[in-house]
C-alpha cells in the first residue's frame, strides 16, 4: 500500500473511532499488565469476567503475592492456561517488588524480563499505559496487515516492523488499537465484512464478499489461517564419528 493510501486508511479508521482504548478492564498499570498477561490465547471478554472480582481485592504486586498462586487460580480458572498464568503472575509480581519498587517499568527490555511477558504484551502495556508508539501484533493485526496490504509480512516481527516504518505520525499512538478493533469486528478471519468496511476500496483483498449472505470467496478461506509463520527450530549440530586410533 502506498503512502497516500496508508494515510487515508488510518484517517478513516480514526474518523470512526477518534480515541480508541483497550477493551481490557483495569484500574492501574499493574492491573493492566496482569490483564494483558492473562489475555494470551483468551478473549478480552473472558479476562474481564475473571478479573472484575480479582481487581476489587488486588491492586498492587504486594496484594497479588499475598493472595498466592492458589488464591489467584480460584479467580482465573475460567481462563485458558490458568495454571501457568497464575504461576507467572505471582512471579512477575515478586519481580516488580524486588527490581522495580512495585512499579511497572516503562521499558520494553525490563518488561520482557518479567515472567510471562513477551514482546507483544510489553508493546500493549507500553502503548496503553504510557502512550508509546508501539505496535503489538496479535492474530488480528497480523491478518489485517497481510490481507489489506497495509503491512505484509511472513512473521509477527515482519508485520510489526512494517507498521512501525509505514504508519504516519498522526496515527502512531492509536494505530495498534484501530487495527486490532478493525480485525476483531470487521476484517474477521472467517468472513470479512467488506460490505460495511470504511476502507474497502483501499484494501488489496479480492474478491470481496458483497453482503452477509454472500458466499465466502476462496481468497477469504485462504486468509482464515493467516497466522504468523512458526519460528524455525534450530538444528542440532551433526554428530561426527570419533576418530579411530591407529596402532
Amino acid at each position: 500500500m502506498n503512502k497516500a493510501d496508508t494515510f487515508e486508511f488510518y484517517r478513516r479508521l480514526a474518523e470512526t473511532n477518534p480515541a480508541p482504548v483497550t477493551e481490557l478492564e483495569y484500574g492501574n498499570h499493574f492491573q493492566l499488565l496482569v490483564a494483558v498477561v492473562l489475555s494470551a490465547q483468551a478473549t478480552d471478554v473472558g479476562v474481564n469476567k475473571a478479573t472484575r472480582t480479582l481487581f476489587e481485592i488486588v491492586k498492587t504486586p504486594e496484594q497479588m503475592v499475598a493472595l498466592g498462586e492458589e488464591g489467584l487460580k480460584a479467580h482465573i480458572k475460567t481462563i485458558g492456561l490458568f495454571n501457568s498464568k497464575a504461576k507467572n503472575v505471582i512471579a512477575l509480581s515478586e519481580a516488580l517488588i524486588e527490581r522495580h519498587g512495585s512499579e511497572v517499568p516503562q521499558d520494553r527490555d525490563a518488561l520482557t524480563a518479567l515472567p510471562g511477558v513477551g514482546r507483544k504484551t510489553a508493546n500493549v502495556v507500553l502503548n496503553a499505559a504510557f502512550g508509546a508508539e508501539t505496535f503489538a501484533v496479535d492474530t488480528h493485526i497480523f491478518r489485517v496487515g497481510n490481507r489489506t496490504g497495509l503491512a505484509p509480512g511472513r512473521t509477527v516481527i515482519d508485520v510489526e516492523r512494517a507498521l512501525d516504518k509505514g504508519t504516519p505520525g498522526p496515527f502512531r499512538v492509536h494505530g495498534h488499537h484501530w487495527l486490532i478493533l478493525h480485525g476483531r469486528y470487521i476484517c474477521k478471519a472467517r468472513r470479512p465484512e467488506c460490505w460495511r468496511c470504511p476502507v474497502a476500496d483501499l484494501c488489496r483483498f479480492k474478491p470481496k464478499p458483497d453482503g452477509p449472505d454472500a458466499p465466502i470467496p476462496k481468497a477469504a478461506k485462504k486468509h482464515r489461517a493467516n497466522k504468523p509463520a512458526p519460528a524455525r527450530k534450530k538444528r542440532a549440530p551433526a554428530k561426527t564419528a570419533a576418530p579411530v586410533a591407529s596402532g
Side-chain angles (χ1 to χ4, degrees):
M1 191 176 293
N2 62 41
K3 290 183 178 180
D5 285 352
T6 296
F7 189 96
E8 180 63 13
F9 187 102
Y10 280 112
R11 189 198 66 77
R12 293 185 195 175
L13 295 185
E15 188 175 53
T16 62
N17 187 3
V21 294
T22 178
E23 294 185 321
L24 290 171
E25 298 172 1
Y26 64 96
N28 58 37
H29 293 169
F30 172 66
Q31 290 181 341
L32 171 63
L33 174 59
V34 171
V36 179
V37 169
L38 295 178
S39 71
Q41 299 183 49
T43 65
D44 288 359
V45 172
V47 172
N48 290 337
K49 287 181 179 179
T51 58
R52 280 181 191 132
T53 56
L54 172 65
F55 288 166
E56 288 178 2
I57 60 173
V58 174
K59 297 176 172 60
T60 67
E62 288 84 359
Q63 290 173 336
M64 185 67 77
V65 172
L67 179 65
E69 193 172 325
E70 293 305 316
L72 178 56
K73 286 180 184 179
H75 285 275
I76 66 170
K77 59 187 177 182
T78 56
I79 300 175
L81 306 175
F82 72 92
N83 284 311
S84 60
K85 289 178 180 179
K87 182 177 181 179
N88 283 332
V89 168
I90 297 300
L92 74 82
S93 299
E94 292 172 338
L96 288 175
I97 296 169
E98 295 169 5
R99 305 177 203 166
H100 304 288
S102 299
E103 298 294 328
V104 175
Q106 193 174 341
D107 177 81
R108 182 186 285 119
D109 290 339
L111 283 167
T112 55
L114 297 172
V117 179
R119 185 179 180 90
K120 182 180 73 173
T121 296
N123 281 343
V124 172
V125 172
L126 290 171
N127 180 266
F130 304 111
E133 297 178 353
T134 57
F135 299 90
V137 180
D138 66 352
T139 55
H140 294 299
I141 294 181
F142 187 86
R143 180 177 65 254
V144 170
N146 278 285
R147 178 183 276 170
T148 64
L150 179 70
R154 186 172 181 271
T155 67
V156 165
I157 195 66
D158 289 341
V159 173
E160 181 184 333
R161 286 170 177 163
L163 289 172
D164 191 35
K165 180 180 179 180
T167 301
F171 310 114
R172 293 181 63 80
V173 172
H174 293 312
H176 157 80
H177 286 115
W178 284 317
L179 295 177
I180 194 171
L181 293 172
H182 187 66
R184 185 174 290 167
Y185 296 113
I186 295 180
C187 195
K188 301 176 182 179
R190 290 184 175 276
R191 184 187 291 274
E193 299 182 4
C194 303
W195 58 90
R196 67 183 190 92
C197 174
V199 293
D201 59 311
L202 303 172
C203 173
R204 301 296 187 262
F205 174 64
K206 294 179 181 180
K208 295 178 172 63
D210 56 9
D213 300 319
I216 302 175
K218 291 182 179 180
K221 294 179 181 179
K222 175 183 177 182
H223 279 272
R224 270 187 205 174
N226 204 350
K227 297 180 180 179
R232 292 182 179 179
K233 294 182 178 180
K234 293 182 179 180
R235 292 184 178 180
K239 294 183 178 179
T240 57
V244 178
S246 59

